[in-house]
Amino acid sequence: MFEMVQEAFATVFTLETLFLIIGGTALGLVFGSIPGLTATMAIAICLPLTFGMDPGNGMALLMGLYIGGVSGGLIPAILLNIPGTPSSVSTTFDGYPMAQNGDAGKAFGFAIVFSFLGGLFSILILMFLSPALADIALGFGPFEFFAVTIFALTMIASLSGDSIIRGILSGFVGLFLGFVGSAPIDSYPRFTFGFDQLDAGFAILPVLIGLFAISEVLKNAEQRGSGVSNTKKIQYKIKGLGFSLAEFIQQGWNGLRSFVIGVGIGILPGVGGGTANIIAYGTAKNRSKYPEKFGTGINDGVVASEGSNNAAIGGALIPLIALGIPGDTVTALLLGGLMLHGLNPGPLLFEQSGDVVYIIFASLIIANVIMCLFLFFGMRMFVKLLSIPQHILLPIIIVLCVVGGFGVNNRIFDAAALVFIGLLGYALIKFKFPIVPIIIGFILGPIAETNLSRGLMQSQGDFSPFFTQPIAAFFLLLTFVSVGIKIWQNFKKKIKTDDSTTASL
Amino acid sequence: MKIFKPVLFFGFFTAILMGCSAEEEPVEGNDAANEGETEESADDSADEADEKTNGESDVDYPMETIEVVVPAGPGGDTDMNSRNISEHLQEELGEDIIVRNVEGGGGTTGSSEILNAEPDGHQVLFFHNGMLVNEILGLADYGFRDFELAGIPVMDEGNGFFVSGDSQFDDAEDFIQHGQEYPREASVATEVGSFTHVQLLAIEDETGADFNIVDVGGASDKIAALLGGQIDVAPFQYGSAVEYIESGDFKTLGILAEDSVDLMPDVPTFTEQGVDASFEKFFFFGFPPETPDEIVTTFSEAVETVVEENEEYQQASEDFYVSPDFHDPDETYDVMSEAYDYYEQLLEGVEADQ
Amino acid sequence: MIEKYGDLYASVFFLIFAIFMYIATLNFQQSDLVVLTIGSEFVPQLAAGGIFIFAFLLLIKGIKTAKAMNKDEAADVQTSKPFHKTKVFTVGATILLIVLYVTLITQIGFLITTVVYLVLQMYVLAEPIKRNLFLFVSIAIITSGSVYFVFREFFNLFLPSGILG
C-alpha cells in the first residue's frame, strides 16, 4: 500500500495534474463561496471537461472541486451571515457574531484550520478503514435510517432559540415544504395544487438560500434610515491564524467529536454533508458546559460546523470507493465520472484500478492543503469584501442567488421558489420564529417518511422491527432520552423562573 | 490541455468550421451548403429561424448548442447512455451537445419540460420505458405519442434479477418456486411504479408466484440493499451488476430476454428457464410536439450514422453492456406502442386484483 | 404590535394552516399498485395534527403575553414608538423588486432585467447621500454582462435571453 501511495503522489506531482488540482480547488472555492452556487454545480459543470483527460487527471480536478466547493461556504457564512452551501449553515451561527464582534480573523482561523483537519481526518479514514466502515453502512436499512433521522430531528429542540414551541412549528414548516412534490413511494403529487412545476418538489438550494440570503437582504433594508449597521465600520484584525495554542487545544475534543460525526453522517447515503454540520453543532451545544454562549460568537460553534462538513467529504466517498454506491448528488456525479473513464466502481475498484483510487486519495490530500493555503492567504482579501457598501453587495448577491436557483434545473421556477421561500422565511423571522429548524425539517423529514414507508413495506406492516433491530432501537432510545432530558431541563428552568418571579412580586 | 474555450476567438472559428462540416456532409433538408460562403451561412441562419414557421423546408439545423434533457439523475444508466451518444453525436451534427439532468417526479419533470419547449430542435428529451409507465399510471397527462420521436439509439437487454452470493436461490426456477410455495415471503426490491416494477408484475402474472415487493429506491440503492442483506432479490441492469458478480457478491438468476444476448452469452434468460417474460429497456430521443420533420430527420439520421458506423461509440456501449441498435422514428413508435399495450394490460391486471 | 400580539397572530395562522393542510391531504391520489401500510397522506396528516397542537400551545402562550403586556404600561410605550416610514418603504420596495425581477426575467431576458433590478435595488437600499446613479448603472451593467457571459460560455448555463434572443 505504501508503494501505491508513493506512486500516486509521484503521478500527481506532475505539472499538469497539480495545475488541475489547484485550478479545481480555486474554482470550487469560488462556487462554494458564492451563495447560490454549490460544489454540486461546480462538479456537474466541470464533469464533461474531464472526459478528454485521462482518468487520474479527471479525478484530480473533481477532487479539487469537491474540497474547494465544500470549504468555500465558510466565507460568506462568517462575513455575511449567508451560508455559501448547505454544508456551512451552522457556521453562520457563531462565525457571523464573531465577525461582528471584530473577531473575523479568529473565526476564519478556526474555520480554516478545522476544515483542513476535518478533511485530513476523513481522508485518512477513507484510506485505511473504508471497507470496514462501508460494511457497517450497509447494515443501515429503512428501520435504521428512520431511527437515525428521528434522532437528528431532535436537534430542532437545541437549535430553536428561546422558544421551543416556535422552533417546533418552524420544523413543521420545513416538513411541509418537504412534502410538496411527489410522494415518497407511489410518486403521486402532494400539495402541488395542480402546478406541474411543483411535482419535483423544492430543491435544497432554493430553500436554504432563500431563507438565509433573501431574509438577510430584507433585514438590511430595515436598517436603512435608522442609521445602524449600514454605516457601522467593524475593525477586523487579523494576526497569524488568529488564535492561540491554548485556544486550539481547548477545541481538541470538540473538534475530534465533530470529525467523527462528519464522517459518520457522511457515510450514510442521502443524509450527507448538509446535515452533518447541523448535527455536529447541535451536539457540541448539547454537550457543552456553557450552551447558552452558543450563537453569541463562540469558537466551539465554528469548530463543530467546519470540522464536521469537511469530514463528511471523506465519509461520503467511503461507500463510493469501497462499494460503488453514491450517497448524494456529488458522489453520484463522481460515480458517473469514474464510469465514463471506463473504470468500474464497485467492490473490485481497489483491485482493478488501484492506481486511480490512490490518485484520488493523493489528490484529496493535496487539494486539502491547497484549500487551506488559498483560504489563509485569501482571508485578508475576503474581509475587504465587506468594505463594499452593503447596498451594492447585497443586490449583487441576490442576482447570484437567482442565477444559482435557475441553475438547479435550468428553469426559472427554482429561482421563483427561492424568492417565495425567502419571503416566507422573512415573515417567520418577523414573528420571531427561528429558521434553522425549517432546514432541519426540510432535509430530514422526507428521509424519515420514505424510510418509514419502506420499512413497513419490508416488514409487511409490522412496526416492531423499528424497536427490535439493534441499531434502530438504540437510536430511538437515544431520542427518547434526549427529549426526556430536554423536557426535564425546561421544567426545572420553569420552576426556577417561577420561583424568582414569585420572589420578586 | 483544453479546460476553458478561449471564447471569442474560438467561437468565431467554430462558426466557420460548422459551416464547413455542413458543406462536406450535406444532409437532407439542409441547403446551407448551397449558399457557398460559409461565414454568411452562419449569419443567415438566425434569419432563417424566424422564417421557418412559414412552412418552407429550408431549415438550417442545428444552429446552436443542442441540449439533451435527461429526466434522471447523474450517474445512472440513462445519464450514461445519453452522454455516450451525445459525445459522438456532436461530431456528426457539428454543434456542441450538452446533457442536462432534470430530476424529479419519476422523470415527469424533465419530460414535461421538453413537451413545452420551443420546437426548434435545440432541446431534445432522452428517456426510456419509464415514460410509458408514467402515462399508464396517470403520473403524467401526456405520453410518448405527444413527442416527435427521433429514434432509439440503444437497447438494454440485460434486465436481470440478482441475489446475493450466498443466497438459497441459484436460478430463476428456485426463485419462482419459492414465490409459489411461500407467497409474500421472499422480498424483492423495486421502485414502485418504475420499469422494474412492471417486470416483476409480469413475472408474477406469468407464474402465479407472489413476492413481497419492497420499495428500495434507484439502482444504487438496490445494490446497497442487496449487499447489505436488506432484501432477497433485486432487479437491475446486468451492466451495473457485473462488477459484483465478478467479486462473488451477487449471483444472476436470469435476464428477461427472449434469446441469449450476444453481449452476455453466458447469462441465463428467464425464457429458457420456463418463464415467458421478456423486456427490453429502450432509450429514445423525443422532440417537442410540432418540431418540423426536417429537423427530426436530420437528427435521427445523425443518430443512425453514429450508432451504425462509429466504432468508438459501439465499443463504449458494449462496455456498458447495452446494444447499439438503431430504430428509426417509425420503428420507435411501433416498439413503444407495443410495449405500452403490454404494460397497460399488466398494470391493469394488478389494479383489478387489489 | 408584533411584540404584543405576534404569538397570537402566528398561532391563529398556524391553526388555520393546519386545518387546510389536513383537508388537502384528503384528496391525495392513492396508488393501486401497492398496498401501503401508511399511505402518502399519513405523515402529512400527522404533521398537520402536530402543527395544530403546537399552534394551540402558542396561542395559550400568546394570550398570556398579551395579558402580561396589557398590565405593563412600559410595554405600551414601546409599541407606540413612531412608525418608521422609511423602513416600511425600503422593505416593501425591496420585496416588490425581487418579485418583479424573477417574474420578468424569462420574458425580458436576464441581461436587461438584471441591470434594471440592480440599479433600482441599489438605489432603494442606499442612504440618500450615497446614491450615485452613475456608479450604480456601471456596476449593474458590468455585473449583469459578466455573469451572463461567464455562465453561458464557461459553464453552459443558458440564462434566459428574452427579447434579445
Side-chain angles (χ1 to χ4, degrees):
Chain A
M1 175 164 181
F2 184 69
E3 275 170 39
M4 297 283 271
V5 177
Q6 217 175 8
E7 212 173 288
F9 271 101
T11 325
V12 174
F13 274 114
T14 54
L15 203 62
E16 189 180 345
T17 316
L18 268 184
F19 179 80
L20 285 170
I21 300 179
I22 295 173
T25 314
L27 192 66
L29 283 171
V30 170
F31 266 70
S33 61
I34 296 176
L37 310 183
T38 58
T40 318
M41 221 178 275
I43 291 176
I45 285 166
C46 293
L47 191 61
L49 299 173
T50 67
F51 295 165
M53 305 174 188
D54 76 65
N57 279 346
M59 283 299 130
L61 172 66
L62 296 176
M63 292 305 137
L65 288 166
Y66 194 4
I67 297 247
V70 171
S71 312
L74 64 91
I75 303 169
I78 291 174
L79 293 179
L80 301 169
N81 202 20
I82 301 171
T85 68
S87 313
S88 25
V89 170
S90 45
T91 311
T92 59
F93 303 164
D94 282 296
Y96 182 68
M98 277 174 92
Q100 291 294 297
N101 300 339
D103 271 341
K106 198 195 241 181
F108 272 122
F110 271 116
I112 296 167
V113 167
F114 279 88
S115 288
F116 171 76
L117 293 175
L120 193 66
F121 175 85
S122 74
I123 297 164
L124 292 175
I125 299 267
L126 169 71
M127 286 173 71
F128 296 104
L129 294 176
S130 51
L133 286 175
D135 276 346
I136 297 177
L138 281 182
F140 274 64
F143 308 110
E144 287 80 10
F145 268 110
F146 174 77
V148 171
T149 34
I150 290 296
F151 173 66
L153 277 168
T154 59
M155 288 297 160
I156 288 178
S158 312
L159 301 173
S160 286
D162 52 358
S163 158
I164 292 197
I165 296 180
R166 291 200 204 100
I168 292 175
L169 280 170
S170 286
F172 276 121
V173 172
L175 273 184
F176 173 77
L177 292 176
F179 291 144
V180 176
S182 302
I185 306 292
D186 56 29
S187 324
Y188 284 108
R190 299 191 295 189
F191 300 116
T192 60
F193 308 105
F195 291 107
D196 286 351
Q197 300 232 320
L198 277 174
D199 280 356
F202 294 113
I204 169 81
L205 184 109
V207 173
L208 183 82
I209 301 300
L211 286 176
F212 280 93
I214 303 279
S215 58
E216 197 56 36
V217 172
L218 292 173
K219 274 193 254 170
N220 190 271
E222 279 176 12
Q223 283 160 0
R224 192 177 80 77
S226 56
V228 209
S229 176
N230 219 348
T231 46
K232 191 166 80 184
K233 278 270 180 295
I234 301 158
Q235 284 302 313
Y236 297 99
K237 33 177 205 291
I238 295 178
K239 259 185 270 152
L241 284 172
F243 56 82
S244 67
L245 189 64
E247 283 177 310
F248 176 78
I249 292 169
Q250 231 174 21
Q251 294 304 325
W253 174 235
N254 176 27
L256 193 64
R257 183 181 51 222
S258 306
F259 300 162
V260 173
I261 292 177
V263 175
I265 301 285
I267 293 179
L268 300 178
V271 187
T275 353
N277 70 92
I278 297 178
I279 294 178
Y281 184 90
T283 314
K285 185 176 173 185
N286 284 343
R287 311 287 305 157
S288 169
K289 292 191 193 86
Y290 34 85
E292 69 285 352
K293 285 194 190 158
F294 276 74
T296 59
I298 182 176
N299 303 340
D300 311 42
V302 175
V303 167
S305 176
E306 283 304 318
S308 62
N309 66 16
N310 281 62
I313 296 179
L317 287 171
I318 288 173
L320 178 73
I321 301 281
L323 304 165
I325 296 165
D328 56 11
T329 329
V330 175
T331 42
L333 283 163
L334 295 177
L335 177 77
L338 286 168
M339 286 170 77
L340 280 169
H341 279 115
L343 302 169
N344 300 305
L348 299 179
L349 185 65
F350 265 98
E351 273 170 51
Q352 291 175 344
S353 328
D355 51 338
V356 180
V357 175
Y358 282 97
I359 289 177
I360 292 180
F361 295 159
S363 316
L364 281 169
I365 292 176
I366 294 172
N368 203 35
V369 174
I370 291 171
M371 171 276 289
C372 190
L373 293 177
F374 267 133
L375 283 178
F376 183 70
F377 290 107
M379 220 152 69
R380 285 162 185 79
M381 213 175 69
F382 309 141
V383 173
K384 290 233 172 67
L385 256 184
L386 290 185
S387 56
I388 302 175
Q390 301 266 301
H391 63 263
I392 290 177
L393 190 60
L394 290 175
I396 294 175
I397 286 175
I398 293 285
V399 168
L400 290 169
C401 291
V402 168
V403 172
F406 181 82
V408 171
N409 259 334
N410 288 38
R411 50 178 192 162
I412 204 67
F413 166 78
D414 294 287
L418 183 145
V419 170
F420 165 76
I421 289 167
L423 297 180
L424 178 79
Y426 179 67
L428 286 170
I429 289 172
K430 285 278 93 180
F431 284 92
K432 294 199 196 128
F433 285 84
I435 53 179
V436 180
I438 306 180
I439 290 168
I440 303 179
F442 177 77
I443 298 178
L444 295 177
I447 302 176
E449 187 190 4
T450 308
N451 284 293
L452 178 64
S453 296
R454 284 183 181 161
L456 288 170
M457 272 182 107
Q458 197 167 320
S459 67
Q460 307 194 24
D462 182 3
F463 279 90
S464 65
F466 288 104
F467 307 101
T468 54
Q469 297 283 328
I471 303 177
F474 171 74
F475 278 102
L476 286 181
L477 189 73
L478 216 59
T479 310
F480 287 123
V481 170
S482 76
V483 170
I485 290 177
K486 200 87 204 168
I487 292 173
W488 189 67
Q489 277 173 346
N490 262 33
F491 183 67
K492 231 171 52 174
K493 224 195 308 179
K494 202 159 186 188
I495 289 179
K496 250 191 198 165
T497 46
D498 280 355
D499 279 355
S500 59
T501 41
T502 30
S504 69
L505 275 174
Chain B
M1 192 180 51
K2 173 188 142 196
I3 296 190
F4 296 132
K5 332 176 231 186
V7 191
L8 268 175
F9 204 58
F10 195 75
F12 178 68
F13 274 98
T14 334
I16 294 176
L17 285 171
M18 181 195 72
C20 289
S21 71
E23 208 163 15
E24 280 160 27
E25 299 167 67
V27 213
E28 234 183 52
N30 179 346
D31 53 6
N34 304 335
E35 297 198 3
E37 293 290 316
T38 48
E39 277 187 63
E40 247 177 55
S41 80
D43 291 337
D44 287 351
S45 52
D47 301 330
E48 275 174 62
D50 297 329
E51 287 164 16
K52 83 166 180 270
T53 35
N54 300 340
E56 293 298 318
S57 70
D58 50 340
V59 182
D60 189 2
Y61 171 81
M63 313 181 308
E64 54 178 43
T65 304
I66 299 172
E67 194 176 65
V68 174
V69 167
V70 173
D77 62 339
T78 319
D79 184 55
M80 301 294 294
N81 283 311
S82 71
R83 288 185 193 274
N84 187 20
I85 182 104
S86 301
E87 192 187 336
H88 300 286
L89 206 51
Q90 60 188 2
E91 298 155 19
E92 203 59 45
L93 286 167
E95 271 289 353
D96 280 349
I97 298 184
I98 57 171
V99 172
R100 174 156 71 89
N101 301 89
V102 183
E103 281 181 79
T108 52
T109 311
S111 311
S112 59
E113 196 174 304
I114 290 299
L115 189 77
N116 301 317
E118 207 56 31
D120 60 5
H122 294 103
Q123 279 189 313
V124 61
L125 178 74
F126 186 86
F127 199 21
H128 57 72
N129 313 51
M131 169 163 281
L132 308 179
V133 188
N134 286 343
E135 185 184 354
I136 296 167
L137 294 179
L139 289 168
D141 52 10
Y142 52 83
F144 70 99
R145 294 181 185 86
D146 295 315
F147 291 86
E148 299 290 340
L149 301 173
I152 292 176
V154 65
M155 290 277 204
D156 189 340
E157 296 160 294
N159 300 285
F161 282 80
F162 303 85
V163 290
S164 110
D166 51 16
S167 166
Q168 55 166 329
F169 305 136
D170 283 319
D171 51 31
E173 263 169 83
D174 289 350
F175 169 53
I176 302 295
Q177 221 169 25
H178 190 272
Q180 288 164 337
E181 284 169 26
Y182 309 97
R184 298 219 162 206
E185 203 150 285
S187 58
V188 188
T190 189
E191 198 176 1
V192 167
S194 75
F195 183 46
T196 57
H197 195 177
V198 179
Q199 294 167 15
L200 259 171
L201 297 175
I203 294 174
E204 287 192 336
D205 187 61
E206 183 65 32
T207 63
D210 194 3
F211 304 108
N212 180 26
I213 298 180
V214 177
D215 186 283
V216 166
S220 56
D221 301 316
K222 290 189 199 113
I223 292 178
L226 194 55
L227 279 174
Q230 312 282 344
I231 38 148
D232 301 319
V233 181
F236 20 77
Q237 307 309 119
Y238 185 76
S240 38
V242 66
E243 291 301 305
Y244 303 90
I245 294 168
E246 262 174 54
S247 69
D249 287 308
F250 292 171
K251 288 189 292 192
T252 319
L253 293 180
I255 51 172
L256 298 174
E258 236 162 298
D259 305 302
S260 71
V261 178
D262 295 341
L263 282 171
M264 32 196 137
D266 302 328
V267 181
T269 67
F270 269 65
T271 316
E272 70 194 25
Q273 298 180 75
V275 183
D276 190 20
S278 74
F279 282 88
E280 280 181 336
K281 187 169 188 177
F282 51 78
F283 295 92
F284 66 94
F285 281 109
F287 281 103
E290 319 220 335
T291 305
D293 286 347
E294 292 79 8
I295 290 177
V296 178
T297 314
T298 309
F299 190 86
S300 140
E301 281 170 354
V303 174
E304 182 173 11
T305 318
V306 171
V307 174
E308 288 181 351
E309 287 164 24
N310 190 323
E311 283 174 19
E312 221 178 303
Y313 169 74
Q314 291 166 349
Q315 188 56 48
S317 301
E318 287 171 14
D319 289 345
F320 297 144
Y321 294 89
V322 291
S323 324
D325 183 6
F326 180 76
H327 292 65
D328 70 27
D330 290 336
E331 289 162 350
T332 303
Y333 185 86
D334 293 342
V335 169
M336 290 180 84
S337 29
E338 199 184 311
Y340 184 89
D341 294 341
Y342 180 37
Y343 301 171
E344 194 176 31
Q345 169 212 330
L346 284 171
L347 290 164
E348 275 175 0
V350 189
E351 294 185 9
D353 278 356
Q354 287 168 1
Chain C
M1 292 290 274
I2 281 177
E3 293 283 317
K4 192 164 150 190
Y5 296 118
D7 281 353
L8 279 182
Y9 294 148
S11 59
V12 170
F13 168 80
F14 276 112
L15 287 173
I16 297 171
F17 181 80
I19 294 167
F20 273 107
M21 191 174 155
Y22 191 87
I23 294 172
T25 62
L26 301 176
N27 296 322
F28 286 167
Q29 208 173 342
Q30 299 296 326
S31 175
D32 301 316
L33 275 186
V34 278
V35 188
L36 295 170
T37 317
I38 54 163
S40 57
E41 75 294 339
F42 178 79
V43 179
Q45 284 176 355
L46 216 62
I51 294 177
F52 195 89
I53 293 170
F54 282 96
F56 190 73
L57 292 176
L58 189 68
L59 183 70
I60 297 172
K61 203 179 149 205
I63 292 171
K64 272 187 190 165
T65 331
K67 273 187 183 161
M69 281 198 162
N70 272 341
K71 279 183 200 163
D72 202 347
E73 301 255 339
D76 279 340
V77 177
Q78 202 192 358
T79 47
S80 62
K81 88 177 166 200
F83 192 63
H84 223 301
K85 257 189 188 164
T86 339
K87 175 175 154 181
V88 174
F89 168 78
T90 320
V91 174
T94 304
I95 293 176
L96 187 73
L97 281 173
I98 297 176
V99 169
L100 280 178
Y101 178 44
V102 289
T103 350
L104 296 177
I105 198 167
T106 19
Q107 283 88 39
I108 302 179
F110 178 83
L111 280 170
I112 300 173
T113 334
T114 304
V115 172
V116 175
Y117 166 75
L118 278 176
V119 172
L120 293 176
Q121 182 71 78
M122 288 174 190
Y123 191 81
V124 165
L125 284 181
E127 301 288 345
I129 33 160
K130 289 195 180 151
R131 284 180 182 154
N132 179 343
L133 220 47
F134 176 74
L135 179 75
F136 292 173
V137 171
S138 355
I139 292 175
I141 290 173
I142 293 167
T143 311
S144 169
S146 52
V147 167
Y148 185 80
F149 191 70
V150 166
F151 276 87
R152 192 181 179 89
E153 293 304 327
F154 293 149
F155 304 140
N156 274 330
L157 184 73
F158 291 82
L159 292 161
S161 51
I163 47 176
L164 291 182

